[in-house]
Amino acid sequence: MSNIKMITLNVKGINHIIKGCKILSSLKKDRVQIALLQETHLTDSEHLKLKRDWVGQIYYSSFNSKSRGIVILIHKNLPFTLNTIVRDTDGRFILITGLLYGEQILLEVFMHQILLIDCFIQTFWQKPPLCVRITVCNPHVKDFIFFSHPHFSFSRIDYMFVSRSVLDRTRGCLINTCAFSDHSSVSMGLLPPYYDPLSRHWRLNPAPLSDPEFVKYLENQWELFLSTNELPGVSASTLWEVGKAFLRGSIIAFTSAKKKSTLTKQLVLERDITNLEREVSADTTELYRYKLNFKPIVASIKNDLNRWFDRPLSWMGRISLIKMNVLPRILYPIQMLALSVRLRRDSESDRH
């Protein structure tokens, strides 16, 4: 029985068409069925444009194209029936209730999730029948969702609250890799009350036909099939029907292998990003931050100064190079990182 995969993510604006397409494609690849997105920075008309591809139902609360914005995306194959919807006119929260697999459910998304959910619980329930799923699933894991560069601090600001009546049907709650935003997404699986199988029909994806390697592979497979099965006693109709099944299997094998190879590379990159995030969160000393951020910049500046040393430049030209090239490269990390930089004389830099 497949789980209902839900995900919450602070996207920090998806009004750029490329970023929006990448996020929707990533959600489709991960087989997300309910997506709760915050900080969309979209208007009402722009929110409606998200209803494409795998998205069947969309519920949103807008403010303007510069800030706030909440949206709930529901997969087109999910049998959800809406009953009521409550939304904020300032784009801070949205609340929907409805039927999913015959059960009454409540979905909520808040901009400042912890505070507003606590207030909501205390207002509507005297004894809150909710628990934080991410804490229940990972009681001993120290992981974070957001990293503040100016303050060099880590925090958890997104949580999954579930009812205790369905706590035994939840399947894992994970903090995923930070890929499209400065926030990491939180995903959770929910087991439906009964199995609802879907009839699947195979269709040819025309995109691989533009790949010369794929076309060459099909030609070789078809020649192999004809050389093996084109016999005197076999009719043309039988040969064609069997050939279609053979080609379909060959196409599935090729695309699956290529998809697996691409996914493996992506997982390696995501694992590297996750390891780096954990390494940074584990070592928060100033020396580590200096080595990670300043040493590469200082080395690059030294290389540039060595290259410019023998150039026939005037004093004003050298001053302009420092102002336009060197200073902007060191001002940004100094402003963004809370470091006490100790100044020392560097003979190699001073002589330039």
Side-chain angles (χ1 to χ4, degrees):
M1 185 182 299
S2 60
N3 299 329
I4 302 173
K5 187 172 182 179
M6 297 181 288
I7 193 169
T8 176
L9 172 63
N10 188 319
V11 295
K12 200 178 180 181
I14 53 173
N15 39 17
H16 195 283
I17 185 171
I18 296 179
K19 183 178 180 181
C21 291
K22 285 186 176 181
I23 290 178
L24 289 179
S25 300
S26 176
L27 295 176
K28 179 182 179 180
K29 177 184 67 68
D30 295 336
R31 298 181 180 180
V32 174
Q33 293 178 289
I34 299 178
L36 315 173
L37 306 182
Q38 312 164 36
E39 289 279 3
T40 56
H41 299 178
L42 297 178
T43 59
D44 291 348
S45 59
E46 293 296 325
H47 269 127
L48 292 175
K49 294 180 181 179
L50 297 177
K51 189 178 180 181
R52 63 176 187 267
D53 199 7
W54 60 272
V55 181
Q57 301 181 53
I58 178 171
Y59 307 100
Y60 56 87
S61 174
S62 308
F63 183 64
N64 57 38
S65 60
K66 300 296 182 181
S67 62
R68 305 178 195 171
I70 298 290
V71 66
I72 299 177
L73 306 178
I74 300 179
H75 200 281
K76 59 184 178 181
N77 293 332
L78 207 61
F80 175 76
T81 304
L82 178 68
N83 287 340
T84 58
I85 178 171
V86 179
R87 70 181 78 192
D88 179 31
T89 56
D90 293 332
R92 290 191 178 92
F93 71 87
I94 184 172
L95 183 149
I96 63 174
T97 62
L99 293 175
L100 181 62
Y101 291 105
E103 292 183 330
Q104 187 76 20
I105 69 166
L106 170 69
L107 293 176
E108 316 153 48
V109 190
F110 294 88
M111 288 287 295
H112 305 287
Q113 207 162 357
I114 302 174
L115 175 62
L116 291 181
I117 282 186
D118 287 342
C119 296
F120 183 82
I121 293 172
Q122 293 173 5
T123 303
F124 290 91
W125 288 293
Q126 295 180 354
K127 295 182 179 180
L130 302 181
C131 62
V132 186
R133 183 59 187 168
I134 190 172
T135 307
V136 175
C137 290
N138 309 281
H140 304 295
V141 177
K142 185 180 180 181
D143 208 349
F144 303 95
I145 295 173
F146 177 69
F147 172 68
S148 175
H149 287 276
H151 304 93
F152 205 82
S153 61
F154 297 85
S155 60
R156 290 183 182 178
I157 55 179
D158 290 341
Y159 289 91
M160 285 281 191
F161 289 85
V162 297
S163 173
R164 295 187 182 275
S165 60
V166 296
L167 186 61
D168 59 332
R169 285 164 43 194
T170 56
R171 296 294 181 267
C173 189
L174 302 173
I175 296 178
N176 304 309
T177 305
C178 182
F180 299 102
S181 175
D182 57 352
H183 291 67
S184 298
S185 61
V186 181
S187 60
M188 182 185 69
L190 179 64
L191 196 65
Y194 61 89
Y195 181 56
D196 185 19
L198 298 175
S199 60
R200 296 182 178 272
H201 300 281
W202 182 82
R203 293 181 180 178
L204 174 63
N205 183 11
L209 294 176
S210 59
D211 185 4
E213 181 183 357
F214 176 73
V215 175
K216 184 65 176 178
Y217 171 79
L218 282 186
E219 292 176 354
N220 295 335
Q221 292 297 312
W222 184 248
E223 291 177 0
L224 175 63
F225 173 78
L226 291 180
S227 63
T228 307
N229 298 279
E230 194 174 12
L231 302 175
V234 180
S235 63
S237 59
T238 303
L239 187 66
W240 173 241
E241 293 297 330
V242 177
K244 288 193 295 183
F246 176 79
L247 280 181
R248 181 175 63 181
S250 301
I251 293 172
I252 293 175
F254 182 89
T255 54
S256 298
K258 195 157 190 177
K259 182 179 179 181
K260 185 177 180 180
S261 175
T262 305
L263 184 60
T264 302
K265 295 179 181 178
Q266 179 180 342
L267 291 177
V268 170
L269 293 176
E270 291 180 354
R271 185 167 59 249
D272 293 341
I273 293 174
T274 303
N275 293 335
L276 289 174
E277 290 177 350
R278 291 178 178 175
E279 183 180 350
V280 171
S281 62
D283 190 351
T284 58
T285 61
E286 288 194 1
L287 179 61
Y288 179 79
R289 282 180 280 171
Y290 174 79
K291 291 181 179 179
L292 187 65
N293 295 279
F294 283 93
K295 290 197 72 174
I297 297 176
V298 172
S300 176
I301 291 175
K302 287 182 178 180
N303 292 333
D304 290 341
L305 292 177
N306 289 329
R307 288 192 297 106
W308 300 334
F309 179 71
D310 297 328
R311 299 292 176 89
L313 299 176
S314 63
W315 281 107
M316 293 302 298
R318 294 177 184 272
I319 293 174
S320 299
L321 280 176
I322 297 296
K323 289 169 58 179
M324 293 186 296
N325 191 290
V326 176
L327 289 181
R329 290 153 68 179
I330 61 176
L331 283 179
Y332 178 77
I334 290 176
Q335 293 173 352
M336 297 301 294
L337 296 176
L339 285 175
S340 56
V341 181
R342 297 177 177 83
L343 298 178
R344 64 182 181 86
R345 295 182 61 84
D346 194 327
S347 58
E348 294 184 9
S349 300
D350 290 343
R351 67 191 181 92
H352 296 292

